Amino acid sequence: MADADEEIMDAIYRALCEHGYAELTMQRIADHTDKSKATLHYHYDTKEDLLQAFLEHVADWYESEIVVDSADPETRLRSVVSTVFDRAEEDRGEYPTALLEIKAQAPYNEAYRERLRTLDERFRRTVAEAVRDGIDEGVFADADPHGVARFVATATNGGHTREVALGEDPAETRTLVETYLESTLGIDFDGEGET
């Protein structure tokens, strides 16, 4: 069902962009695929189950896009920044709003909260490991890897909220994150070695 899953995840993405979280239904998701609503219910009992699977899909996508297998910690860290902000600059439509709507449901939906927590933990772990490796190799200035990871995750999430609520360009948050990493770790985002 791998291809079917990918098609369903794409349908959720398109339905979220078009209708937002509040107006999202199983039928509207089915309308964006060649599957029936009954077929969706066969694989996923509820809209919430579909959205949990979608959040896991988003987490897997980010992990697959980030160059985590590179031996070079700077390449890995640059990959994190590029993956997050290149995607944010591409998805300036309704998707960021729909994703924020899902995040807003987390205080009331334990399953969403757990999926979002897992995504956050994966993201922070990836950043912290790259920072730790860079410090160990003498590539980065000494810093607290977990503190750096927390700042990057917090700034990224805050930037997402500012984009949706205030119309702020994701490039502003990218500049903030890059400036922080430059001053904290000594990376030159304007120099060579960019991914």
Side-chain angles (χ1 to χ4, degrees):
M1 179 161 150
D3 288 341
D5 279 342
E6 190 66 34
E7 183 182 354
I8 292 169
M9 295 303 112
D10 184 57
I12 295 169
Y13 172 83
R14 288 185 280 123
L16 275 170
C17 289
E18 184 175 332
H19 303 288
Y21 176 85
E23 300 298 321
L24 188 68
T25 64
M26 294 289 271
Q27 184 59 57
R28 286 185 166 155
I29 294 168
D31 290 345
H32 286 278
T33 183
D34 63 358
K35 300 186 178 348
S36 68
K37 179 179 166 185
T39 301
L40 292 181
H41 275 293
Y42 176 78
H43 296 290
Y44 302 94
D45 289 335
T46 65
K47 175 179 90 169
E48 284 71 27
D49 291 338
L50 267 169
L51 288 172
Q52 289 174 42
F54 179 71
L55 289 172
E56 188 64 31
H57 174 76
V58 169
D60 291 344
W61 179 86
Y62 274 113
E63 280 194 340
S64 73
E65 291 294 306
I66 295 170
V67 183
V68 293
D69 59 348
S70 172
D72 179 38
E74 187 170 340
T75 298
R76 292 186 346 238
L77 199 52
R78 287 176 184 280
S79 179
V80 169
V81 172
S82 292
T83 298
V84 168
F85 291 105
D86 291 351
R87 179 66 185 251
E89 289 167 10
E90 290 171 14
D91 283 332
R92 295 298 307 275
E94 298 300 318
Y95 176 70
T97 302
L99 187 57
L100 187 61
E101 288 181 275
I102 293 172
K103 289 179 180 180
Q105 298 305 309
Y108 315 105
N109 185 315
E110 181 64 29
Y112 291 178
R113 184 168 46 251
E114 282 305 310
R115 293 281 190 233
L116 290 167
R117 184 176 290 130
T118 298
L119 179 59
D120 181 71
E121 288 169 356
R122 286 178 177 179
F123 181 80
R124 290 195 302 166
R125 182 177 59 242
T126 300
V127 172
E129 287 172 356
V131 171
R132 185 179 311 107
D133 291 348
I135 292 168
D136 290 348
E137 293 175 21
V139 177
F140 299 154
D142 191 29
D144 172 20
H146 295 289
V148 172
R150 184 172 188 85
F151 176 88
V152 172
T154 301
T156 300
N157 283 317
H160 175 224
T161 301
R162 293 180 66 82
E163 174 191 358
V164 173
L166 305 175
E168 186 173 281
D169 189 325
E172 293 186 42
T173 303
R174 183 180 195 148
T175 298
L176 174 73
V177 169
E178 289 178 352
T179 300
Y180 171 79
L181 293 173
E182 287 173 348
S183 66
T184 305
L185 302 176
I187 297 176
D188 180 7
F189 278 91
D190 293 326
E192 293 183 23
E194 291 186 36
T195 58

